[in-house]
Amino acid sequence: MAGAIWCVVEDDRNGLPKKVMAEVLGEAARLGGPAEAVWLTDKASDDGLKQLASWGATKVWLVENAELSPYRGGVWAEALAELAAQQSPKAIFGPVTSRQRELLARLAARLGVGISADSVGFTMESDRLIATRPVYAGKLLSRVTWAKSPWIATLRPNVFRPAEAVAGKTAAVERPTVKIPSARMKFVERREETSTGLPELTEAEIVISGGRGMKGPENYVILEDMGKVIGAAVGASRAAVDAGWRPHRFQIGQTGRTISPKLYMGFGVSGAIQHLAGMRTSKIIVAVNKDPEAPIFKIADYGIVADLFEVVPTLTQEFKKLLEK
Ligand SMILES: Cc1cc2nc3c(=O)[nH]c(=O)nc-3n(C[C@H](O)[C@H](O)[C@H](O)COP(=O)(O)OP(=O)(O)OC[C@H]3O[C@@H](n4cnc5c(N)ncnc54)[C@H](O)[C@@H]3O)c2cc1C
């Protein structure tokens, strides 16, 4: 089937694409491409364009307009739908992020096509794209395809092999004329979250998660100390979030973030199915729990039956020693 695979850029709001785009562009190229980036932003940068090219984008459709900031799903979806109608890509991919979950679902509705949300695999079968995506909180994997193109999909981070950056590659930059619709919502105020200084949950290669066993918000400092030593993000179970110990953006699970890091370590997390839905595709799972019957041990690669308040400081010390060597 003719047409490109578009990769909708997730950026850091400061003119640089996030590293998850290496995974999306890498997968688009692996499927036969051509892999093209579509970048809606109020602020692009030359370094950002070079970065996209180095990850294999053969072309960048750059829609740069001050009216695109701040992000509002309705505005972005309408602009993207107009561009898609002009250029007829065969597929439109984006990473699973808070913005793109909404944006690509809106786009699919607008274009009257299907979406494979949270995809974890793709194959081409006689010119038709087949996506694999988890259902029933990750208990089953379903294979889906589309009745019509463009095939729209969001891709779960840390699942697809990232494209290796090749310096010096170039991409044609197209600046199409797209009408930016006026927003139905008025933007009132933006409040920046204070940064923890640790990696972002969905981008991190290592995630440490604390559950109700942490006993209180003051104890997360021991997980953050470990996070600083090994470069890990710190997340939480819903029990901890509901108790007000951590903000909702740190929640892992069915009604929180979906993560797929190289290493997940759960401390005082029982392993309820709704939590597993957000982390079961992690490459290596380590669980520390006082209760040997805790369900998390069923999916853990390594388990320690112990009091987390003894294990965490010891592990942190050992990691420190190892990394200082
Ligand atoms: C519709 C719906 C959506 C949901 N979405 C989510 C979601 O997105 N994410 C999510 O996480 N949950 C979600 N839940 C809630 C989920 O069912 C569980 O209630 C929740 O995950 C439990 O959190 P927990 O493991 O921290 O707490 P608990 O189940 O109470 O487990 C605490 C664990 O800590 C252990 N522990 C206690 N003290 C220590 C210690 N000192 N050292 C070591 N271990 C200790 C205990 O043995 C226990 O296993 C959802 C539920 C519903 C109904």
Side-chain angles (χ1 to χ4, degrees), residues 211-213 215 237-239 251-256 268-272 274-275 288-291 294 306-309:
R212 204 194 309 262
K215 310 246 186 295
S237 69
R238 177 160 165 182
Q251 184 180 314
I252 297 164
Q254 190 180 320
T255 43
V269 173
S270 61
Q274 296 90 353
H275 188 80
V288 178
N289 198 305
K290 281 202 302 201
D291 174 7
D307 185 334
L308 72 92
F309 293 101

Side-chain angles (χ1 to χ4, degrees), residues 77-124:
E78 205 170 318
L80 194 50
E82 186 190 328
L83 189 60
Q86 283 172 17
Q87 305 299 333
S88 309
K90 68 180 168 204
I92 304 177
F93 288 178
V96 176
T97 60
S98 312
R99 280 205 299 201
Q100 296 221 23
R101 261 187 177 164
E102 182 202 11
L103 174 63
L104 294 195
R106 279 178 179 268
L107 180 69
R110 221 166 259 274
L111 298 178
V113 297
I115 179 168
S116 167
D118 218 13
S119 315
V120 294
F122 295 102
T123 51
M124 286 299 295

Side-chain angles (χ1 to χ4, degrees), residues 1 89-91 108 111-115 128 145-152:
M1 186 178 190
K90 68 180 168 204
L111 298 178
V113 297
I115 179 168
R128 169 177 273 244
T145 191
W146 289 257
K148 284 199 275 182
S149 77
W151 311 317
I152 299 184

Side-chain angles (χ1 to χ4, degrees), residues 140-162:
L140 287 178
L141 290 173
S142 69
R143 279 159 52 83
V144 295
T145 191
W146 289 257
K148 284 199 275 182
S149 77
W151 311 317
I152 299 184
T154 54
L155 282 65
R156 187 178 277 198
N158 286 316
V159 171
F160 297 92
R161 181 138 42 93

